[in-house]
Each structure stands twice: as structure tokens, then as C-alpha cells.
Amino acid sequence: RKEVEQDPGPFNVPEGATVAFNCTYSNSASQSFFWYRQDCRKEPKLLMSVYSSGNEDGRFTAQLNRASQYISLLIRDSKLSDSATYLCVVNAGGYNKLIFGAGTRLAVHP
Amino acid sequence: EAGVAQSPRYKIIEKRQSVAFWCNPISGHATLYWYQQILGQGPKLLIQFQNNGVVDDSQLPKDRFSAERLKGVDSTLKIQPAKLEDSAVYLCASSPLSRRQAYEQYFGPGTRLTVT
């Protein structure tokens, strides 16, 4: 079993749509969770951290369910500029070691 | 603030040849990471330095890969000899000093390696 598993994608959605990505992780001792965004042929960049109580940043909402070891990202009112690969990332413990999922590709079309 | 710098951006070599990549982290960042990202996969940590010491190299293929971080700043990653399966993007990242805390990691643009 992979340490971090994500929806395979790709997700093709029209502008304005709401889209949700799911992620599960295997290490119950993980303490920190993130979503990174990676544009085509670019480096990953932090999109947002994921907190236990859930958190929102504009059109983006992240949720964490520790009991189910499940993380989600909801994007509302999709924009063309949201087209990218979204990486689910889990801290594997000591010294800020991160484990990345394979990513889910999102393509937003007019 | 200058970001993480990497060079070269692209490299094409034949199998069994050697190659080296260079990384200069964000000024003041004590932690430096090298990742390998194969097409269609997420980045996989190869080695992590805290200042000039190695804190994790559990996924580094030590028979062919080596890395160093002299003086706790710049770092080089070397592959010798290269195999076809080493074709990937090699990403360098840095973050502030961490002791069991999660800080954002800042990535460089990567080096795209093609082994033929």
C-alpha cells in the first residue's frame, strides 16, 4: 500500500464548477498535512496546510479526518488558472520529512 | 528574496555516464532536500540535510547516488553510473531549521535528466 494515495484523475471540469479531490494516508502517526500545487513542468508550491478543524482559503477548502486517515480539497468556482496537478502531502515525522502522493491532475476548460 | 537555484536545468547523458547537479538553497535555510520525480509520480525524497549533516538518506540508492553539502550551504547530487531508470526531474528544496515541526518547503525549478 502506498503511503499517500490520491484520486487518479484527470478531472476535466468547466469554469465555475466545484471539484473535490480525495487523499488517504497510511501512517496514523502523521501530524501535518498539506496540499501542494504543481503546474506543468514547474516545481511544486505550497497551496495550503490542512488543519484538524478544516480550513478555508478563498475558493479552496481543506478537510482532515484523522480517524479515517483521509484528506480532501474542495475548489469552488473553478478558474482556468486552477489547471494544475494537486499533490497531497503528509509529514512523515521528525525533521520535516514529507511524503507526496502521485497527484491529481485538474484541467479547467472554458 | 531569491529562491532555490539549481543547475543545470536540462541534461542528457548516455547510460553508464556520470552526472552532477548543483543546488543553492534560500539564504538562511538550514534544511536542504533532494527529491526525484519520475513522470506521473509525486516527488520522492532521496536525501535530507540539516546544515551539513545527513538526517535521512534511507531512499538514496547509495551504490550509484551520492550527495554532499559542504559548509552547510550549497549541495551537489551525483549519479555514477547512470541507468535508464534514473531519467527524472531532480528537485532541490529548502526550509528553515526544523526539529519535529513542519515548515513549508521551497522548491527549485529542477533539473530534467534524460538517460539514453
Side-chain angles (χ1 to χ4, degrees):
Chain A
R1 182 184 173 187
K2 291 181 182 178
E3 292 185 79
V4 179
E5 295 201 65
Q6 297 187 238
D7 282 347
F11 285 62
N12 294 294
V13 303
E15 278 185 288
T18 295
V19 61
F21 304 140
N22 303 318
C23 169
T24 57
Y25 59 96
S26 61
N27 186 348
S28 59
S30 298
Q31 293 295 320
S32 303
F33 310 90
F34 311 90
W35 285 99
Y36 274 67
R37 169 190 169 133
Q38 187 170 26
D39 292 312
C40 187
R41 300 178 79 86
K42 298 287 189 179
E43 69 273 22
K45 292 183 179 179
L46 179 66
L47 176 66
M48 60 194 302
S49 300
V50 186
Y51 302 119
S52 296
S53 55
N55 50 297
E56 196 172 295
D57 183 1
R59 297 180 294 107
F60 299 84
T61 300
Q63 296 280 351
L64 169 65
N65 184 322
R66 287 185 185 271
S68 302
Q69 295 179 208
Y70 170 93
I71 307 161
S72 66
L73 176 68
L74 183 77
I75 305 175
R76 292 182 300 278
D77 189 23
S78 298
K79 311 291 185 190
L80 295 176
S81 57
D82 294 334
S83 297
T85 296
Y86 291 83
L87 299 162
C88 178
V89 186
V90 174
N91 182 289
Y95 297 108
N96 202 25
K97 178 178 180 177
L98 300 183
I99 306 296
F100 286 77
T104 301
R105 191 156 60 89
L106 172 66
V108 182
H109 57 83
Chain B
E1 179 183 75
V4 177
Q6 288 189 248
S7 68
R9 293 294 310 277
Y10 305 91
K11 191 74 177 179
I12 301 174
I13 61 172
E14 295 182 353
K15 59 184 179 183
R16 291 188 289 274
Q17 286 188 322
S18 303
V19 65
F21 312 128
W22 173 83
C23 173
N24 182 245
I26 292 173
S27 178
H29 280 191
T31 310
L32 185 147
Y33 316 79
W34 282 103
Y35 289 89
Q36 179 192 59
Q37 187 172 23
I38 293 172
L39 188 64
Q41 298 181 20
K44 182 184 84 170
L45 180 68
L46 293 175
I47 188 167
Q48 178 178 348
F49 293 93
Q50 192 95 310
N51 295 310
N52 60 349
V54 176
V55 296
D56 190 325
D57 63 357
S58 57
Q59 297 193 91
L60 186 74
K62 298 179 184 65
D63 58 332
R64 299 184 300 106
F65 286 64
S66 64
E68 60 181 8
R69 190 183 184 195
L70 299 176
K71 300 181 181 179
V73 183
D74 292 8
S75 177
T76 56
L77 175 70
K78 297 179 182 178
I79 308 175
Q80 180 179 13
K83 292 186 176 181
L84 295 176
E85 59 260 35
D86 297 333
S87 294
V89 176
Y90 291 84
L91 294 161
C92 179
S94 70
S95 71
L97 181 65
S98 62
R99 291 194 181 90
R100 300 189 177 277
Q101 281 184 288
Y103 287 98
E104 177 178 357
Q105 293 187 16
Y106 297 83
F107 285 82
T111 296
R112 188 172 300 272
L113 174 67
T114 302
V115 182
T116 63

